[in-house]
């Protein structure tokens, strides 16, 4: 008879992508986890995993077993956790993937209020501008801009953001303000590095889509770094309103060429299907949605 604990372990290995990480999550030695999956394969008479020195991947049989068992295994885990808790109090760790600059516009005071309201929940933020794989990276909730794909993912739209052109008063005093989009080609512009060495800004203007090639002496792959460089007077930048809202309010930045912008930068809170979402993660989703909208970081 197949031991359902081994099936549950297989689900953890498939989600983690490694025996070591799965074993850490369930609290057993890595070699024990590997041996139990080998025993499961022997009982089923099929190979479930392709093993290599770099990573584990699912075979066709493994994909089938995972697809047909993951929701049932996680639903059972939720039920037993609720019974053991004796209440519906959120408990456990929630791993959140967000952009590197997330806490530049999402206030830590909000996070503190969430932790105070849910004393049995722990939050672990994975900050990276790379798009996380929720299953492979063990992520419960992701904050993402742009299109969201994946048959098992729920994406709740928070709203729209837009990008605008900004510069510091000191820079404009020294270099003058551009009066037309093509003037940007003669200014120092702060942008994300381009592999081709050429940076094109494509924006929406009063006459429709427009573009201009820009260059500058400073570039970075972090919106926070670009914002700070702009505040320091190093050039003109094209940044989201969420990033520059505070410097604009404080007068450290001013908008230039206000008729040109990038619209439709949608922001989403993303997670696995509701049946797979732990109560702690569900509580964080509702909290994040509330503050992202009420904090007016984006337009609904």
């Amino acid at each position: 008879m197949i031991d359902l604990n081994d099936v549950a372990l297989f689900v953890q290995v498939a989600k983690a992508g490694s025996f070591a990480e799965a074993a850490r999550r369930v609290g057993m030695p890595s070699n024990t986890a590997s041996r139990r999956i080998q025993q499961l394969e022997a009982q089923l008479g099929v190979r479930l995993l392709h093993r290599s020195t770099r990573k584990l991947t699912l075979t066709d049989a493994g994909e089938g077993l995972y697809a047909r068992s993951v929701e049932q295994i996680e639903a059972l885990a939720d039920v037993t956790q609720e019974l053991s808790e004796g209440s519906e109090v959120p408990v456990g760790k929630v791993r959140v993937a967000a952009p590197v600059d997330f806490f530049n516009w999402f206030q830590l005071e909000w996070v503190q209020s969430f932790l105070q309201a849910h004393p049995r929940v722990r939050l672990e933020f994975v900050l990276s501008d790379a798009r996380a794989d929720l299953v492979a990276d063990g992520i419960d909730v992701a904050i993402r801009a742009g299109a969201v794909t994946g048959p098992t993912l729920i994406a709740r739209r928070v709203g729209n953001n837009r990008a605008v052109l900004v510069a510091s008063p000191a820079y404009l005093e020294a270099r003058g303000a551009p009066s037309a989009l093509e003037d940007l080609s003669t200014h120092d512009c702060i942008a994300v590095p381009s592999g081709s060495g050429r940076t094109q800004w494509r924006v929406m203007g009063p006459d429709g889509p427009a573009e201009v090639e820009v260059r500058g002496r400073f570039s970075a792959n972090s919106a926070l770094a670009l914002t700070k460089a702009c505040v320091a007077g190093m050039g003109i930048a094209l940044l989201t309103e969420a990033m520059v809202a505070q410097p604009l309010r404080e007068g450290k930045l001013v908008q230039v060429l206000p008729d040109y912008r990038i619209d439709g930068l949608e922001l989403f809170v993303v997670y696995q299907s509701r049946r797979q979402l732990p109560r702690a993660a569900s509580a964080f989703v509702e909290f994040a949605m509330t503050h992202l909208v009420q904090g007016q970081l984006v337009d609904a």
Side-chain angles (χ1 to χ4, degrees):
M1 180 178 293
I2 300 298
D3 188 339
L4 293 182
N5 289 319
D6 290 342
V7 178
L9 177 59
F10 164 74
V11 168
Q12 289 294 332
V13 172
K15 290 176 65 176
S18 77
F19 285 115
E21 176 60 19
R24 184 189 67 79
R25 294 180 187 179
V26 301
M28 71 170 57
S30 178
N31 59 351
T32 301
S34 178
R35 176 175 52 78
R36 286 179 54 179
I37 296 303
Q38 288 177 339
Q39 290 174 348
L40 178 61
E41 290 176 320
Q43 288 178 301
L44 294 172
V46 294
R47 182 178 291 276
L48 300 173
L49 298 165
H50 292 299
R51 298 162 174 83
S52 73
T53 56
R54 297 184 61 185
K55 63 178 182 178
L56 296 175
T57 57
L58 295 176
T59 64
D60 289 344
E63 290 276 7
L65 179 61
Y66 178 81
R68 298 183 65 178
S69 61
V70 59
E71 290 194 8
Q72 289 83 353
I73 291 295
E74 294 192 346
L76 181 59
D78 289 343
V79 169
T80 55
Q81 185 175 7
E82 290 171 13
L83 291 174
S84 66
E85 292 166 9
S87 71
E88 295 189 354
V89 176
V91 61
K93 181 172 71 174
V94 182
R95 298 190 82 222
V96 183
V100 168
D101 306 310
F102 182 65
F103 287 115
N104 191 56
W105 42 273
F106 194 89
Q107 298 179 28
L108 279 168
E109 289 79 6
W110 297 343
V111 178
Q112 173 67 0
S113 70
F114 175 82
L115 293 174
Q116 289 175 340
H118 304 286
R120 300 181 65 185
V121 175
R122 294 175 293 122
L123 295 178
E124 178 183 324
F125 283 88
V126 181
L127 302 179
S128 173
D129 289 332
R131 180 160 291 202
D133 184 318
L134 271 65
V135 173
D137 298 333
I139 299 298
D140 296 300
V141 183
I143 312 297
R144 288 183 178 172
V148 176
T149 58
T152 66
L153 296 181
I154 303 295
R156 294 178 62 179
R157 180 181 174 276
V158 177
N160 278 321
N161 202 348
R162 62 178 65 89
V164 295
L165 291 159
V166 291
S168 72
Y171 175 84
L172 296 176
E173 183 178 354
R175 297 288 300 273
S179 57
L181 187 67
E182 54 267 26
D183 293 345
L184 293 177
S185 62
T186 64
H187 278 266
D188 284 328
C189 292
I190 303 167
V192 175
S194 169
S196 66
R198 303 175 60 186
T199 300
Q200 298 280 344
W201 280 352
R202 296 176 176 84
V203 296
M204 183 63 66
D207 299 320
E211 67 178 59
V212 61
E213 184 173 331
V214 299
R215 58 180 57 86
R217 299 171 61 196
F218 179 88
S219 60
N221 63 349
S222 161
L224 179 57
L226 298 179
T227 303
K228 289 186 174 182
C230 196
V231 169
M234 298 173 67
I236 298 173
L238 180 60
L239 295 165
T240 64
E241 288 184 330
M243 287 299 302
V244 299
Q246 184 172 343
L248 285 172
R249 286 195 300 268
E250 296 173 349
K252 295 178 180 178
L253 292 177
V254 295
Q255 195 170 343
V256 299
L257 299 175
D259 291 336
Y260 293 91
R261 65 203 180 278
I262 299 176
D263 290 320
L265 300 176
E266 292 187 303
L267 188 68
F268 297 91
V269 175
V270 184
Y271 49 92
Q272 292 287 334
S273 67
R274 294 181 185 275
R275 290 183 61 183
Q276 300 179 35
L277 196 67
R279 183 169 288 109
S282 180
F284 179 81
V285 166
E286 297 308 319
F287 154 80
M289 291 289 299
T290 298
H291 284 81
L292 284 168
V293 174
Q294 291 184 355
Q296 297 181 341
L297 300 175
V298 290
D299 295 329

